[in-house]
C-alpha cells in the first residue's frame, strides 16, 4: 500500500523514470520543470537534491518574502516513487497568490488511480501537526483533476480570479 515517506536516495531509479514520464507526456508540470534533470541523473546529484529538500524545512533566510519553511514528503510503494507533496509551514505574499500551503504531483504513469486524493488525505494530519490547520490550496481553474482532488478531501472554494482558484482545507481531526 502506498504511504508517505521521507525523501531518500533509494528512490533514485524510479525518480528518474518519473522525470522521463513527464518529458514524454508533453509540457513539463511546474514541479518537473524546476528540477535539473541532468544534475539528478548521477547518484551524487540526486543525493544533493534530496538534501536540498530536507534543508528547506529550515531555510537560512528569515526575510519576510524569502523562502518559507517547507516539508516535502514522497508518496511511495516500496522503492517506487509515485508522487510528492510539499507543505509550506506559512505563506508569503507570493504563495498567497499562487502556490498556497500545499502542492502535490503524481507521476504521469500513476495518475487517475486515486493516488493524489489518498496522498492529500494522508498529508492533512502532517500539515495540522505543523500548525497548518486552515490550509490554502491554489490551482488553475482548468486543472479539473486537482480541483476534484481538493474537493474530495473537503476543500471549499473561497475565491476565484483569472487563472487562479483558491480553496481552504481544514486539516485537523474531524475536519
Ligand atoms: C492533479 C493530479 C495531482 C491528480 O492526480 P491523480 O492521482 O490522477 O488524482 P486522483 O486519481 O486522486 O483523482 C483525480 C480526480 O479528478 C478527476 N479528473 C481527472 N481528470 C479530470 C477532468 N479532466 N475533469 C474532471 N475531473 C477529472 C478524476 O476522475 C478523479 O475524480 P474521481 O475520483 O471522482 O473520479 C495529477 O494530475 C498531477 O500530478 N498533475 C500535474 C501536477 C498538478 O497539476 N498538481 C496540482 C497543482 S495544484
Amino acid at each position: 500500500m502506498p504511504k508517505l515517506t521521507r525523501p531518500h536516495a533509494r528512490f533514485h531509479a524510479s525518480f528518474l523514470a518519473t522525470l522521463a514520464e513527464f518529458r514524454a507526456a508533453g509540457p513539463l508540470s511546474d514541479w518537473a520543470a524546476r528540477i535539473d534533470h541532468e544534475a539528478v541523473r548521477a547518484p551524487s546529484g540526486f543525493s544533493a537534491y534530496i538534501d536540498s529538500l530536507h534543508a528547506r524545512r529550515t531555510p537560512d533566510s528569515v526575510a519576510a518574502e524569502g523562502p518559507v519553511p517547507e516539508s516535502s514528503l514522497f508518496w511511495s510503494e516500496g522503492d517506487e516513487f509515485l508522487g510528492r507533496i510539499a507543505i509550506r509551514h506559512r505563506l508569503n505574499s507570493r504563495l498567497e497568490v499562487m502556490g498556497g500551503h500545499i502542492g502535490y504531483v503524481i507521476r504521469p504513469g500513476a495518475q487517475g488511480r486515486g493516488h493524489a486524493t489518498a496522498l492529500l488525505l494522508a498529508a492533512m494530519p502532517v500539515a495540522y501537526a505543523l500548525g497548518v490547520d486552515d490550509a490554502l490550496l491554489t490551482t488553475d481553474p482548468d486543472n479539473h483533476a486537482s480541483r476534484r482532488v481538493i474537493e474530495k478531501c473537503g476543500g471549499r472554494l473561497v475565491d476565484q480570479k483569472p487563472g487562479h482558484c483558491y480553496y481552504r482545507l481544514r486539516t485537523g481531526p474531524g475536519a
Side-chain angles (χ1 to χ4, degrees):
M1 210 166 111
K3 58 177 186 179
L4 289 174
T5 329
R6 269 172 66 81
H8 193 276
R10 71 189 168 91
F11 296 108
H12 191 204
S14 67
F15 193 90
L16 294 185
T18 297
L19 295 184
E21 286 175 13
F22 272 109
R23 288 194 299 273
L28 292 179
S29 72
D30 291 349
W31 173 77
R34 280 196 302 270
I35 295 168
D36 183 335
H37 292 218
E38 272 311 308
V40 297
R41 213 176 284 278
S44 58
F46 186 62
S47 289
Y49 170 71
I50 296 292
D51 289 346
S52 75
L53 295 182
H54 293 310
R56 284 187 209 163
R57 285 183 67 101
T58 50
D60 293 338
S61 164
V62 290
E65 292 313 310
V68 301
E70 179 183 279
S71 296
S72 285
L73 290 163
F74 285 178
W75 186 243
S76 65
E77 187 152 30
D79 285 347
E80 184 83 359
F81 174 90
L82 296 169
R84 70 49 114 162
I85 194 159
I87 303 167
R88 288 129 209 155
H89 305 188
R90 61 177 170 80
L91 298 176
N92 59 23
S93 56
R94 184 182 57 81
L95 290 167
E96 275 168 11
V97 177
M98 193 175 75
H101 286 103
I102 299 178
Y104 45 82
V105 68
I106 295 294
R107 66 188 286 179
Q111 289 177 9
R113 290 193 237 148
H115 282 304
T117 309
L119 166 62
L120 183 55
L121 282 173
M124 285 164 62
V126 180
Y128 186 72
L130 289 166
V132 181
D133 61 340
D134 188 19
L136 176 71
L137 285 89
T138 74
T139 187
D140 186 303
D142 294 332
N143 194 340
H144 299 288
S146 186
R147 296 183 64 171
R148 180 88 186 107
V149 167
I150 298 168
E151 287 164 6
K152 281 199 292 180
C153 291
R156 293 163 292 112
L157 182 67
V158 292
D159 199 5
Q160 195 161 354
K161 294 182 182 151
H164 303 286
C165 283
Y166 298 90
Y167 285 88
R168 284 283 173 181
L169 177 68
R170 304 303 306 226
T171 60

